[in-house]
Amino acid sequence: MELATLSLEPGERLSGSELNSRFDRGMTGRGIEICYDDDDQRYLRLFSSDTGPYGDDVTGGEFTYIGEGQTGDQTLTGGNKFLARAKRHPLPIFFFHRESGETDWEYQGQVEVVDYACGPFDGDDRDVYRFVLRRRHERRERVDDEEAAADLAPAERAETTRSRIIRNTALATELKARYSHTCQVCGERRRRGVHEGYAEAHHLKPLGRPHDGPDTEANLLVLCPDHHADFDYGMIAVDPETHTISHAYERELDGSSLSVREDHDLGSAFLDYHNRTIASF
């Protein structure tokens, strides 16, 4: 999926599988998801629900969104860090909301971060991050062609060029097949159909700026959607020599070993880069 070709209109209601199909990325269950398109452009998906955990009031053009973390004081790490960074360094942020009693998510358009602050949460003895979000695009109004002003000048068009990173998708596809679409972290094999496995390829040193990592097998891991998100959030580190996993919150994985096939020449330098630059615990 490329953001430039994504077709998504405010007001659309999508199931989890439809979100997966539209973005070519499964849901992680987090409120703030860090994602990348096929050009390695970073974007965020935000999810809010009437049923919790915070019951955000998302009415109006500007509203408050509570950050991630349901126990203890919230910290400026993971999704909170990337959402806070978007105040000074804007990026596409897609906002989805689910009403009470509904199973589908309503896409409410893109939003931008106006401000954020950390303070006590109502009725709870802990601090949370409050992000003030503003809708970038309101819902489109229907205009009758016969009522449209005939003298409206057409919008000026400007020709632009866009540089993109060409991914070697065949390389990632072949590596996922070699692992039988099995996650190298947890050993779980997801499915996109009865007879078809599903896994995601992750670049330890991201391709885009400022990392400029290479699109090589040595820089790739095969992961399930959950642990792909954990690598993006910096919640996992892997010892470059022993392949021992350190996980920020999954005790059953902390101390386990990354599964690496003998024919997968995984680069220790890229594991080290991830640990130093992206891991945040």
Side-chain angles (χ1 to χ4, degrees), residues 4 7 15 26 31 48 102 124 143 146-148 174-175 211 231 234 239 266 279:
S7 175
S15 65
S48 173
E102 296 290 335
D124 201 347
V143 178
E146 294 181 0
E147 296 179 358
E174 194 277 332
L175 188 64
H211 307 284
F231 267 95
D239 187 287
L266 182 62

Side-chain angles (χ1 to χ4, degrees), residues 66-190:
I66 304 297
E68 285 189 330
Q70 299 182 42
T71 58
D73 292 339
Q74 290 185 358
T75 59
L76 202 59
T77 57
N80 292 337
K81 179 178 70 174
F82 280 87
L83 194 55
R85 185 182 295 173
K87 178 184 176 182
R88 293 180 177 270
H89 305 284
L91 78 171
I93 305 174
F94 299 89
F95 184 74
F96 297 88
H97 179 70
R98 184 168 62 191
E99 297 178 354
S100 179
E102 296 290 335
T103 57
D104 292 345
W105 295 91
E106 180 188 9
Y107 173 56
Q108 297 197 349
Q110 291 194 40
V111 297
E112 59 188 358
V113 180
V114 177
D115 205 355
Y116 65 92
C118 187
F121 183 60
D122 299 338
D124 201 347
D125 186 23
R126 66 193 188 96
D127 289 339
V128 301
Y129 276 90
R130 290 177 170 83
F131 296 90
V132 179
L133 306 180
R134 178 190 297 140
R135 301 181 193 279
R136 292 185 58 189
H137 303 289
E138 298 298 333
R139 296 190 182 199
R140 297 182 179 179
E141 296 182 358
R142 292 182 178 269
V143 178
D144 192 307
D145 290 340
E146 294 181 0
E147 296 179 358
D151 59 349
L152 287 178
E156 294 184 3
R157 294 180 180 270
E159 186 172 318
T160 62
T161 59
R162 181 168 66 102
S163 62
R164 57 173 293 197
I165 297 168
I166 305 299
R167 288 174 179 260
N168 187 348
T169 55
L171 174 67
T173 299
E174 194 277 332
L175 188 64
K176 286 188 282 187
R178 238 188 288 164
Y179 277 96
S180 298
H181 297 86
T182 300
C183 179
Q184 290 181 246
V185 170
C186 66
E188 184 173 339
R189 185 178 188 269
R190 300 289 181 92

Side-chain angles (χ1 to χ4, degrees), residues 242-261:
T242 66
H243 294 164
T244 300
I245 296 172
S246 297
H247 199 287
Y249 58 88
E250 282 193 61
R251 293 185 178 181
E252 62 272 23
L253 286 178
D254 197 40
S256 63
S257 295
L258 185 75
S259 175
V260 182
R261 290 173 55 95

